[in-house]
């Protein structure tokens, strides 16, 4: 009788864990997409293109925007103009400018 109860408890715990795992695999990507980000297998979480958001992770006062590439920047052509130089900044929330408006970053 005691062994049967332990087996039931273990079975219920495993089924519960699988149910939670399944729910999270479906719900978390949907929740993150609502926040303007999506999961990328190569780089992890990345911003979606053409998003306008206000919030602690996005801006202080003004809506923050991503361009068609998903970068928090103004829209631009991939090929730079003659004589134009570009700088690439790789980083985390400091580079992203979490909680900072567009003209106040860097």
């Amino acid at each position: 009788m005691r062994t049967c109860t332990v087996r039931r408890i273990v079975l219920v715990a495993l089924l519960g864990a699988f149910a939670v795992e399944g729910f999270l695999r479906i719900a978390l990507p949907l929740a993150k997409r609502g926040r303007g980000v999506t999961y990328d297998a190569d780089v992890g979480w990345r911003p979606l293109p053409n998003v306008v958001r206000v919030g602690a992770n996005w801006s202080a006062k003004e809506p923050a925007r991503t361009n068609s590439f998903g970068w928090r920047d103004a829209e631009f052509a991939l090929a730079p103009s003659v004589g134009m130089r570009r700088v690439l900044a790789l980083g985390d929330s400091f580079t992203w400018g979490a909680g900072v408006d567009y003209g106040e970053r860097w």
Side-chain angles (χ1 to χ4, degrees), residues 3 21 24 31 36 38 50 57 80-81 88 95 99:
T3 305
E21 176 72 19
L24 291 176
T38 188
N50 304 315
N57 293 327
S81 304
L88 173 65
T95 302

Side-chain angles (χ1 to χ4, degrees), residues 16 23-24 37-38 48 56-57 59-61 65 71-72 74 80 84 89 93 101:
F23 172 77
L24 291 176
V37 295
T38 188
L48 291 168
N57 293 327
S59 64
K61 297 170 270 186
R65 305 175 191 290
W71 300 333
R72 189 173 171 192
M84 175 190 261
S93 59
D101 290 326

Side-chain angles (χ1 to χ4, degrees), residues 1 3 5-6 9 11 28 34 50 54 64 70 73 77 86 88 95:
M1 176 106 175
T3 305
T5 304
V6 170
I9 291 172
L11 180 62
L28 283 179
N50 304 315
V54 175
D73 198 359
R86 291 192 177 155
L88 173 65
T95 302

Side-chain angles (χ1 to χ4, degrees), residues 3-84:
T3 305
C4 185
T5 304
V6 170
R7 285 183 183 166
R8 285 184 185 168
I9 291 172
V10 170
L11 180 62
V12 167
L14 285 173
L15 288 175
F18 283 122
V20 169
E21 176 72 19
F23 172 77
L24 291 176
R25 284 183 181 253
I26 293 169
L28 283 179
L30 295 175
K32 294 290 186 178
R33 189 172 301 276
R35 289 181 42 200
V37 295
T38 188
Y39 184 75
D40 185 303
D42 294 325
V43 298
W45 293 103
R46 66 174 174 80
L48 291 168
N50 304 315
V51 172
V52 178
R53 293 280 188 273
V54 175
N57 293 327
W58 286 83
S59 64
K61 297 170 270 186
E62 302 171 11
R65 305 175 191 290
T66 60
N67 61 19
S68 61
F69 302 107
W71 300 333
R72 189 173 171 192
D73 198 359
E75 198 63 46
F76 58 86
L78 281 178
S81 304
V82 175
M84 175 190 261

